[in-house]
Amino acid sequence: NAGVTQTPKFQVLKTGQSMTLQCAQDMNHNSMYWYRQDPGMGLRLIYYSASEGTTDKGEVPNGYNVSRLNKREFSLRLESAAPSQTSVYFCASSGTHSGANVLTFGAGSRLTVL
Amino acid sequence: GQQVMQIPQYQHVQEGEDFTTYCNSSTTLSNIQWYKQRPGGHPVFLIQLVKSGEVKKQKRLTFQFGEAKKNSSLHITATQTTDVGTYFCAGSAGTASKLTFGTGTRLQVTL
């Protein structure tokens, strides 16, 4: 009963390096999301995927790409990391809970770009 | 675009005192959800409100949705140290794919 699993939990990059954050859910949810969390800014949506095979931009998509590999997996890629991308990244999936379309979050990935 | 603001940004209370956080949207919402994030943790769903003027309770927590469906509040009665964390509201003007989170209110409770 893992829910949403994110890897890695921590990562330090140098400016210009690339990396991929992995996310997998085992709840058979159709929709998946990537958020970033910065102090005082709340959670901001980067990209989301309403269903397998579709992806859409959220509020802050610049500098990121995503892949919905299959129904379970949704990855986030930073092609050329910048210090402004230092943040905590959360993957989430959504399913119905007591009639509400509820987000279930992963544990988060803390990324530092030097 | 849709903006959701929360006040206060931070509140420190003594255990046993009450606490309220307010959430205001720039647009009319179809529903609003509340999440709690413990320090070092991830957001966890608390509740959803859908109807204008709706009030829901979960033990010491009372949630309200405004009549105009543009604001909401979370009130905690007699706080406990287990209430420590950041509370986020999240509003949707349509589908869950466009859920916009508020800026959050961090609650600190001391004995």
Side-chain angles (χ1 to χ4, degrees):
Chain A
N1 193 19
V4 178
T5 303
Q6 287 181 236
T7 56
K9 285 187 167 44
F10 301 94
Q11 184 73 48
V12 179
L13 293 176
K14 294 181 180 178
T15 297
Q17 287 185 318
S18 63
M19 77 158 298
T20 299
L21 299 176
Q22 307 286 353
C23 176
Q25 52 96 5
D26 62 3
M27 296 173 287
N28 202 34
H29 289 167
N30 285 322
S31 300
M32 298 185 72
Y33 312 80
W34 277 104
Y35 286 88
R36 61 176 288 173
Q37 183 174 28
D38 303 290
M41 304 289 287
L43 290 146
R44 292 182 293 169
L45 183 63
I46 305 171
Y47 271 93
Y48 66 97
S49 170
S51 61
E52 185 179 352
T54 68
T55 61
D56 283 289
K57 294 178 181 179
E59 185 185 351
V60 288
N62 291 344
Y64 305 95
N65 286 302
V66 290
S67 295
R68 184 74 184 265
L69 304 170
N70 48 56
K71 191 171 186 178
R72 290 187 64 247
E73 298 172 289
F74 188 38
S75 63
L76 178 72
R77 183 162 178 82
L78 287 70
E79 290 291 352
S80 179
S84 61
Q85 293 177 304
T86 293
S87 187
V88 179
Y89 292 85
F90 287 100
C91 177
S93 65
S94 67
T96 304
H97 173 72
S98 300
N101 206 5
V102 171
L103 292 177
T104 300
F105 286 86
S109 300
R110 184 175 294 274
L111 175 66
T112 301
V113 183
L114 303 175
Chain B
Q2 182 182 344
Q3 292 187 343
V4 180
M5 301 298 294
Q6 277 182 257
I7 55 171
Q9 191 171 359
Y10 170 77
Q11 185 145 10
H12 183 183
V13 300
Q14 298 270 335
E15 190 177 46
E17 292 182 335
D18 292 355
F19 159 78
T20 304
T21 173
Y22 300 91
C23 177
N24 294 288
S25 171
S26 59
T27 59
T28 302
L29 301 170
S30 61
N31 63 74
I32 194 154
Q33 298 180 0
W34 285 90
Y35 290 77
K36 176 183 178 181
Q37 182 178 24
R38 295 184 188 275
H42 57 278
V44 174
F45 174 76
L46 293 176
I47 207 160
Q48 174 170 284
L49 305 170
V50 178
K51 300 176 184 176
S52 170
E54 188 171 13
V55 178
K56 286 188 176 181
K57 293 190 176 185
Q58 287 181 349
K59 297 183 181 178
R60 295 177 293 103
L61 278 61
T62 302
F63 304 84
Q64 291 189 313
F65 201 8
E67 295 289 341
K69 301 184 76 173
K70 294 183 72 173
N71 60 285
S72 181
S73 64
L74 158 59
H75 179 82
I76 302 178
T77 303
T79 54
Q80 299 175 359
T81 54
T82 53
D83 296 324
V84 165
T86 301
Y87 293 85
F88 292 98
C89 62
S92 173
T95 67
S97 299
K98 294 292 187 181
L99 200 60
T100 300
F101 277 79
T103 45
T105 295
R106 185 161 71 92
L107 172 65
Q108 180 63 34
V109 181
T110 52
L111 295 171

